[in-house]
Structures are given as structure tokens and as C-alpha cells.
Amino acid sequence: MTDLLAAIPEAPEPDWAAAFRMPIVECGEPLEALGTSQGFLVWPAYHRLGVPNAPAECHARAGVFERLLRAARQLPDGLRLVVLDAWRPFAVQQHLYDTLYEILRQHEPDAAPEELTRRTREFVAPPSTRAEAPSPHLTGGAVDITLCDRDGRWLDMGSLFDEATPRSYTRHYEDASDDHGRAIRDRRRLLFNVMREAGFSNLSSEWWHYDYGDQLWAWHRGEQAALYGPAQVQPLEALWRQQLHSLPGSS
């Protein structure tokens, strides 16, 4: 049986070049709306925060949906998962990357571009729509999550969601010596262990970011290939055309 408060092991920062070289064997799982779930809560953070082009619903691959349910069932009574983001359009990924890079550049005007790029990549994956190397969230395999109590009040996880500081590193509180720090450490351990048990990998610089099936997951776990390439939420017009073309006699 999994120790849900086991220490979070040390993990390297992603080698993005190596991760993006992982082959993709697309399994064809559809994107599904997570907001229909009764097993966890959904709060589409970027839409609520007014980020341009951010969708009002969180979508993820079917396998991710099932594993989120599996992780949620392992939580102690009174705690629930909250999904903050999942499938992310390229425009949103580009906006987040460019915005953080510019903020860092303004904060540290003497920093070299390579250093600014490295710092930005700690908290926002490089934007990419390439079929062989898509951004993790573009695949529907990456999710951003947190914990809340039974009434929906978010727990203190030691940093804000998307906070671009060292406190966001998953292991930041592992050596905490005060009661408050140890409480945060245990919440992060709980989240990490239920998600790992469900098959996810974690991005070491973001306690909230977990992957299943994408190239980052494949790189972290030493898999032979990723399961998910780029995905797209189909607009109604595309669904109608697809349905009509599937009718007998359609060319």
C-alpha cells in the first residue's frame, strides 16, 4: 500500500530538448470535458483570470480523466482535487511564455537572454505546435491541480498557483522545520503520492503540474514513447461536418 506521506524524491529539471525528441505513438484518445466529473472539482483558472483565448472548460484526454478520478479516490476523507488547467490552446501557451519572459526581463534588465529563457522555462513550457514536439498542455496530457477541503476552500500549498518563485518547486518544503512548513510539506507529499500512484509524473519546478501520456511524462518515466501528440477541441461546425461525412452515401 502506498505511503501517501512518503518524502518527495529529488528530480532533475526537464531536459526539454531530450523530452521533445521522445517519439510519439498517438493512441487516439479523445479530449473529454472535466467539468462533468463528480469526483473532483474544476476551476478553469486562466479563463477566470481573463487570459486571452483561455477556454471556459478544462479538457483532458480520456486516460487522464480516469487517472484523476483514481487519484481523487485515494485522498483522505474531507479532501478533494481541484483541476485548474488541462488542455491549453497554443495561443494561451504563447501568451503565458511571452508574458513571463518580459516580466523577468524587466525585473532583471542585465540578465542574458539565455538566462531569461532558462528561468522562463522553469515555469512555462516552450510554446510549440510541432506535431513531433508539442507543448505538454497542447496534448491534453498535462494538468494543473491543487487540493481543497470538503467545502471547496483551497488549502495552503506554500505558493500561489503559477507563482514564479523558488517556493513553487515541489520539494521546496521538504526540509521544513516549523509546523506551518511541515503542514505544507505534507499536503504536497499527499498530492504528489496520489498522483504518482495514479500514473502521473511531476514537473519538479511546479508542485501543481502533472503529466500523463505526453513527451514530458515519457522522458521522466523512461518510457519508449509518448502516447499523446497535439490535440484540439473540435468546434461545433467541425463536429457537424464529421458527423455528416460519416453517414452512408457521403463522399
Side-chain angles (χ1 to χ4, degrees), residues 66-241:
E66 288 301 318
R67 283 164 177 79
L68 285 170
L69 291 171
R70 188 186 306 173
R73 293 186 192 110
Q74 294 187 80
L75 290 173
D77 289 344
L79 294 183
R80 304 186 70 184
L81 283 183
V82 185
V83 176
L84 304 173
D85 189 43
W87 176 80
R88 186 183 296 168
F90 175 76
V92 175
Q93 189 73 25
Q94 188 73 63
H95 174 84
L96 296 173
Y97 188 92
D98 291 346
T99 300
L100 180 55
Y101 184 96
E102 181 60 20
I103 289 171
L104 290 171
R105 188 190 66 78
Q106 292 175 9
H107 183 67
E108 301 177 28
D110 296 328
E114 308 83 58
E115 176 61 14
L116 293 173
T117 296
R118 186 193 69 80
R119 294 275 305 284
T120 302
R121 286 185 172 193
E122 286 182 320
F123 301 105
V124 182
S128 172
T129 58
R130 290 184 295 148
E132 73 280 7
S135 301
H137 278 281
L138 187 65
T139 70
V143 290
D144 296 333
I145 58 176
T146 189
L147 294 173
C148 72
D149 66 17
R150 68 172 73 250
D151 297 315
R153 292 174 295 204
W154 294 13
L155 303 186
D156 180 3
M157 300 296 288
S159 81
L160 298 175
F161 165 59
D162 259 359
E163 182 176 314
T165 74
R167 294 187 303 180
S168 292
Y169 273 72
T170 309
R171 297 190 74 258
H172 182 76
Y173 290 90
E174 275 299 301
D175 297 323
S177 57
D178 61 291
D179 289 344
H180 180 247
R182 285 194 292 267
I184 292 169
R185 177 201 65 192
D186 288 351
R187 291 176 197 134
R188 291 192 182 190
R189 286 181 176 183
L190 178 62
L191 183 61
F192 179 89
N193 285 302
V194 299
M195 292 297 284
R196 184 170 64 172
E197 179 69 13
F200 291 90
S201 63
N202 170 249
L203 179 59
S204 60
S205 56
E206 299 180 354
W207 59 261
W208 56 83
H209 180 107
Y210 287 85
D211 296 273
Y212 175 79
D214 59 23
Q215 288 172 304
L216 192 55
W217 167 85
W219 179 82
H220 271 125
R221 291 172 54 100
E223 302 286 342
Q224 293 296 310
L227 307 176
Y228 304 146
Q232 182 67 44
V233 174
Q234 295 293 327
L236 181 59
E237 295 86 347
L239 291 173
W240 278 342
R241 289 191 179 94

